Amino acid sequence: MVKEAVSGSSRETSIKKRRKNPSTENDSETDVYKKVISFEEKESKRSADTDAKLYCDLCKSIRTALAEIFELKSQKPPDASAKIMEKSMQAASCIVTLKKLNRLEKVRSTSAREALNLEKQKVDSTNLQYQNLMYEAAHLFSEFKKCKQFKSKDEDIELVSIEEFLSEAPEEKTKPFRNLKLEEMDDIQKHELHLARLEWELTQRKKLSELCNTFEDEKKQVAAEIVKSKNRLGGLAPRLAIVLESTKPLQEYLGLPIEKTYAEHKLASLLPNPLYLFYANADAYKKVYDIDLNLEILGDQDEAIQWRQQGAHPVQVDESDPENDQQEVEENVEIKKRRHRKASHIDRQEERKKRLLEAHPLSIQVTVRVKDGPTLKIQFSYRTVLNIITVMSDVVYPSNITGNVAKEVIGGESMLGELFEGDFGIDSPNPSNPYQLKKIDVNSYNSLVSKLGYAYSWAQRVCGLDFLIQQSSKAAAALSSTNVEIVMKVLTKRLKSRTALANQLQQLEQNLIPAAIEVDLPRNSVSSLTKWTSITYQDFCKSPSTTDLVLNELISPSDLFYSATIFRPKTATLNTLVAIKNDYPNQAPIFSLIVKYNGEFHSGNCDEVRDMERAVNVGWDYGANSASWLLSAQLQYLCSYFDVYLETTAPSVFPQNSVFFKNICARNRRRPFKFRKVGSGIFTQF
Amino acid sequence: MVGFPFFHLYRLMNPDSNLLKHDFSPKNTFTVQEDIQINSLLTTEHNLLVGVVGEIYGYDWSVVTSNKDAKVSWKIELPNNRDVFEKAEINCMVIDNKSELLYAGCGDNNVYVINIETAKIVRTLSGHTDYVHSVFNVGNDLASGGEDGVVNIWDLRNKDVTNKIEPYKNDDIARPELGKWIGAVCINDDWLLCGGGPKLSLWHYRSLTPSTIFPIEDQGIHVAEVLDDKVLAGGRAEHFYSMVFNGNVISKIPTSCVTVYTAVHQETPYKALCIAGSSPRIDICSNFNYKDQVLSLL
């Protein structure tokens, strides 16, 4: 083996030499070297596989050669040495080839390594580049995000809708978007649209702001003008006053009530709402019907102005705890020594009472006159806290009425009482009043009537106050206007009928029955009126003859009651109790009779008297026109009936003066209490 | 009297049913004639007869009970009916169901016998000298009492008055201060009951002698009736009396009216007595002893 290695190395050097040689020979060793290298490189490009195969073949051939050598050596043929020599030569050449192969392999591995390094470098640089790019990308992403998060100022601006923009903006601005649909636009178009809209908005706003400015200017101008005019007008008032003042003598001379009306109207505007309604409606009524009605506003104007300025809070009743008061009262009872507290309590109570019952400073006085009759003055006041109208009346008697009974009829409370059925005015029509009154220890409105006046329902209605439970107590214009006319008519009618009644009573007091010429009356009665006086309700009820009337509530305490005595010589008297209803003559006066002849007879124990009562009480439906004669006619009839009664009951004592055919007829032995105007008048049963 | 109210008596007489205010008011009311007095009433099976002045009106019950303005079905006029002053009132009507004759005691002193079917006057009984208050008919006998104080007894088969009594001539019976008129008369086979201005008295029918004078406090008798063995009487008094023949009072029913002018009673289908007079109230008794209900027209 050593030989082999030696031979190998020797061969190598020879190759080296051979290789070195050209360079040295060509004056440049490097060239040779380079040539070698390039050659080797060239060689190395051969396929490694074939080299590997070659290598295996070489190794095999070496082994074979060595084996043959060994054989030769062992066998020692004759030509052994030559053959060995040949064989070793062969082997040595193979080893050279091996060496060559080895070298090639080395070259190859170096070149491969180099190539690997090169590739590695490439990979590294690519990697680097990649990382750079990644970083850059991330940066860009974050930039994107930032961009996206960016808020533009225009987003806060409210823009007109796209449709509006397209229809209103000028052509050149909208043209690019005319034919596009919003869904089909790309972002740029959208953006452009937005820009266009913004631009449009800007121009619009500029325009509007300009407009605004001009208006502001105008406003300022107008304000200035107003101030100027005001000043002028302010200056006008005193001048007008002067003119008005100077016309006064002329007005007085011409007898024009302009000034008065003006003052009155001015005062009227200060009236509380309910009274104003009444005033306005009554005034209108008066003008339309031209009747003798006088409206007047009483009260102090300054006070009223002050009242108005105090405003809408006078209704503030002292709402201090009633419980507190209660306690106080109890304390007071316990400790009577603390007089001053009690006194202060009373003071407060008085104060509250005063405030609750307070009336508006202005009130209306209506004066109604009847020809030859009394003058009725009615004063309407508004109780602001109680929210009711109270009425005080006063009557100026005409000179021709002097009798007490007659005066009573037109004077007393009955004049206005029950103007409408059941309306006596002694209960408050406002359902909340009883509670208010209870607070100040007043049990009913009735006890306040003398102080405050009557709270008639019609008075509330003419002033537009309606107290039906459901309805609010707000003054209603319609309510008032419909009622003023009715009430005024009823009022006048009442006044007239009362005057007529008074005139009759005036004569009756002197025991004269006024002649009633309007109806057929029996004349020439023997019985005559001897006494006429007024009595009380209690007196009326005491009589045995009135039991049924009272029981059946045909009369009420508010009616007027009289007692009349009719006498027929020589022994018979008829005591008559008369109840005149408030709405005389719509309801005829009711007569209740007691005959005093051979005992006492009345409707409760004698049918004849009952028939007589019927005859005198029933069948007087002559309406309002009968006011002037109804009572007299009834009395006149009664005298005749009494004659008939006596003449039929005791013909022997009372000679027949009246004309009748049958004194008695039918099973009930009926008396002829029916007057027929035949000749001088006859009486029949049927 | 013009109004004509009807009540549902059964509802009032049946104590089981709850009485409402409704039951005390008239079922129907109608007007016969304005401003006239209804002097007598009579009911037959189908008709209601109303005696006013000079005329008798006949109404159908079916119409009357339901119709507000009931029409007269038929009408009987009395003779001498032309002049308003001569018109006679029909004071009392009785009917003989067997012969279908109506006897009407009238204001012209006559008793008219009227055939109900033909509505014609078949006979006139004249014998009184003043108007007739009351008539009563039993079989062929008819009694009539008048303002002249006479009770005439007629045998309808004869032409003239058979018998007459004049209670005012009897000193025990007469009450001169009240007058001689006979307000009510009633007969049966044995007895004759009459009263008016004179006291209520029971006479023996055959002998026509007074047998009992009833001791009741009244100012005139307008209703008197013999009912079995009892006597019912009323008039201007505070009570309506029920008595036996010997004069003992069985019951006194206080009345609502000053004067009782009529009393009607029935036994079937339930016992009831209605008393009415010069008052808008009608008293109703179920046992003839005390007042049960009061109907009011007010």
Side-chain angles (χ1 to χ4, degrees), chain A residues 566-604:
Chain A
I566 292 170
F567 179 74
R568 165 142 182 177
K570 304 138 210 155
T571 49
T573 43
L574 175 66
N575 282 347
T576 308
L577 299 175
V578 188
I580 300 180
K581 309 294 283 184
N582 271 326
D583 64 345
Y584 170 89
N586 289 332
Q587 279 188 66
I590 296 174
F591 286 73
S592 177
L593 312 176
I594 300 177
V595 172
K596 282 187 180 157
Y597 174 72
N598 282 350
E600 230 181 67
F601 300 104
H602 51 81
S603 60

Side-chain angles (χ1 to χ4, degrees), chain B residues 104-145:
Chain B
C106 296
D108 56 0
N109 310 347
N110 295 328
V111 176
Y112 292 101
V113 184
I114 300 162
N115 188 326
I116 282 284
E117 283 299 307
T118 58
K120 288 271 164 15
I121 296 170
V122 293
R123 205 178 150 190
T124 304
L125 307 175
S126 354
H128 284 284
T129 55
D130 205 338
Y131 70 88
V132 181
H133 266 283
S134 172
V135 289
F136 200 90
N137 161 250
V138 172
N140 285 323
D141 290 349
L142 183 104
S144 63

Side-chain angles (χ1 to χ4, degrees), chain A residues 453-465:
Chain A
Y454 294 89
Y456 297 113
S457 289
W458 58 261
Q460 321 303 320
R461 287 205 304 271
V462 292
C463 293
L465 295 173

